[in-house]
Amino acid sequence: MTETSNLFQLAVTLLQQLISIPSFSKEEDRTADLINEFLESHGVTTYRKLNNIWAWNKHFDPAKETILLNSHHDTVKPNSGYTRDPYDAKIEDGKLYGLGSNDAGGCLVSLIAVFLYFHDKENLKYNFCLATTAEEEISGVNGLELIIPELGQLSFGIVGEPTLMQLAIAERGLMVLDCTAHGRAGHAAREEGENAIYKALTDIEWFRSFKFPKESEVFGPIKMSVTIINAGSQHNVVPASCVYTVDVRVTDAYRNEEVLEIIREHVASDVKPRSIRLKPSSIPKEHPIVQAGIALGRTTYGSPTTSDQSLLDIPSIKVGPGDSARSHTADEFVYVDEIREGIELYIKMLESIN
């Protein structure tokens, strides 16, 4: 049995074990235990903070740059349409079924296998840091974000999410804005008060029609959508306030802080972001790891969905076995051959730059 074949078998077995353990966001302690025990059983020195486990390669050299290998082990709750036991990780017709098998279990165990492949090797050009993290599905603060300060200087990252092993070289950021237009209450039958709805409409029209000067080569323009609006208490009272919500999908042409500043310059409403943590991310198409993937027949694209990539301030690529169209679906599965292909492609990409 070749080294990669052995790693593939280990990865599949580990994924079956992970699936058998419920690991909803904030409840990942038992899968963290399993990952920790698995790595230690293969001679890896591990570190833990809450439900996050990380490790470095055996011959770590502080003079060298470090590659981050990251994926998550938390899951959403089972879709109500499940016809199978979501924790029964059976393999049928080449499909490994179970909750989290596709998102992102296949990616996680593939990256763990890749880390083991490189762990003992000497004279590598890069160090490796493996981070298996929690709370990705809820963009929680006690996942990858919590341990980034512990990981040291990182050169670039590979974030494992199901992309059919195609290369997501950019990912949109997300800001949710709670906006309030202020008026003055009055009786609707008289010429009094200032209608906050009318004031909000002016700003809402700006959100609908404004074009940011810079556009992303991958995504094009930033997209802003007003998705919720609420005002008024009864038919004969001019409303003193109008509250509305704006969904802003930020591209890699801007930072979240820049977009927020531009918005506040143009609208009269109070604008409060729920968070500016979920940043747009990208990696140049000319980067060696991207070129390595392209040389192996992979295509590049921009991902409309958010992941832990949004928490990184380093160049990063999102790539992994599985298909995002299967994520969070009933009777979720990953093809076992996707895991095999994922391990092999990850290794080939990384060996080509090492």
Side-chain angles (χ1 to χ4, degrees):
M1 183 177 289
T2 66
E3 183 177 4
T4 55
S5 294
N6 184 46
L7 290 170
F8 163 70
Q9 294 297 334
L10 287 172
V12 170
T13 300
L14 176 60
L15 180 53
Q16 289 179 297
Q17 293 171 335
L18 288 167
I19 289 169
S20 72
I21 303 170
S23 56
F24 308 138
S25 301
K26 296 189 175 184
E27 302 174 22
E28 313 96 339
D29 53 303
R30 292 172 60 206
T31 47
D33 290 343
L34 175 60
I35 293 166
N36 195 59
E37 291 165 5
F38 175 86
L39 290 170
E40 288 184 340
S41 73
H42 287 85
V44 177
T45 300
T46 61
Y47 301 84
R48 180 169 184 166
K49 196 167 190 177
L50 297 184
N51 295 327
N52 305 287
I53 308 294
W54 71 95
W56 289 280
N57 56 301
K58 183 177 181 179
H59 301 288
F60 181 90
D61 181 350
K64 296 178 180 178
E65 295 182 352
T66 301
I67 301 171
L68 173 66
L69 306 178
N70 165 247
S71 193
H72 65 95
H73 58 100
D74 63 314
T75 73
V76 297
K77 293 190 176 180
N79 184 302
S80 61
Y82 261 85
T83 63
R84 313 171 65 95
D85 181 348
Y87 309 108
D88 185 10
K90 286 184 178 176
I91 299 174
E92 297 177 7
D93 300 322
K95 300 175 182 178
L96 197 169
Y97 286 93
L99 182 65
S101 56
N102 179 78
D103 183 15
C107 304
L108 174 69
V109 298
S110 296
L111 285 173
I112 290 173
V114 170
F115 177 77
L116 291 179
Y117 178 86
F118 287 103
H119 178 258
D120 293 341
K121 296 188 182 302
E122 298 185 55
N123 302 316
L124 293 170
K125 181 179 177 182
Y126 291 95
N127 298 309
F128 285 90
C129 177
L130 173 71
T132 67
T133 50
E135 296 192 12
E136 189 274 346
E137 295 291 1
I138 59 169
S139 301
V141 297
N142 288 320
L144 177 60
E145 184 176 31
L146 179 71
I147 65 167
I148 285 174
E150 313 283 347
L151 304 183
Q153 189 74 27
L154 301 168
S155 176
F156 68 92
I158 294 176
V159 177
E161 288 285 337
T163 70
L164 292 170
M165 288 305 292
Q166 305 306 324
L167 314 174
I169 60 172
E171 180 182 277
R172 290 185 189 270
L174 170 65
M175 285 195 300
V176 179
L177 307 178
D178 291 316
C179 305
T180 304
H182 297 283
R184 183 165 47 84
H187 198 294
R190 295 189 289 269
E191 294 295 328
E192 61 184 34
E194 292 180 90
N195 196 318
I197 293 175
Y198 298 157
K199 289 190 169 186
L201 287 174
T202 299
D203 288 347
I204 289 170
E205 174 58 22
W206 181 86
F207 280 112
R208 189 190 70 81
S209 60
F210 182 75
K211 303 296 182 186
F212 286 84
K214 293 187 292 185
E215 291 195 1
S216 164
E217 292 184 11
V218 179
F219 294 113
I222 288 175
K223 181 172 174 56
M224 299 189 291
S225 304
V226 178
T227 54
I228 302 171
I229 187 167
N230 185 45
S233 57
Q234 58 192 66
H235 77 89
N236 59 350
V237 176
V238 173
S241 66
C242 178
V243 178
Y244 57 98
T245 301
V246 187
D247 179 292
V248 183
R249 301 291 166 153
V250 184
T251 72
D252 53 307
Y254 287 90
R255 294 182 63 83
N256 286 354
E257 293 86 349
E258 294 177 278
V259 172
L260 182 59
E261 183 179 354
I262 291 169
I263 290 169
R264 284 174 167 165
E265 287 174 354
H266 284 82
V267 301
S269 301
D270 291 338
V271 178
K272 295 181 180 179
R274 295 181 186 177
S275 169
I276 57 172
R277 294 169 52 243
L278 303 180
K279 303 180 291 288
S281 56
S282 65
I283 191 169
K285 197 169 182 178
E286 297 73 31
H287 194 284
I289 194 66
V290 179
Q291 289 299 308
I294 291 172
L296 291 166
R298 304 293 97 184
T299 58
T300 63
Y301 72 103
S303 174
T305 59
T306 57
S307 70
D308 274 346
Q309 196 176 15
S310 66
L311 302 172
L312 296 172
D313 281 321
I314 56 172
S316 59
I317 185 170
K318 183 164 67 176
V319 56
D323 185 346
S324 73
R326 295 184 219 131
S327 299
H328 307 177
T329 61
D331 300 336
E332 182 182 350
F333 68 89
V334 64
Y335 288 102
V336 290
D337 280 347
E338 290 176 321
I339 297 173
R340 186 194 302 275
E341 178 192 38
I343 294 169
E344 292 175 353
L345 280 169
Y346 280 138
I347 288 173
K348 287 177 181 177
M349 288 169 64
L350 290 164
E351 280 190 328
S352 73
I353 65 172
N354 266 293

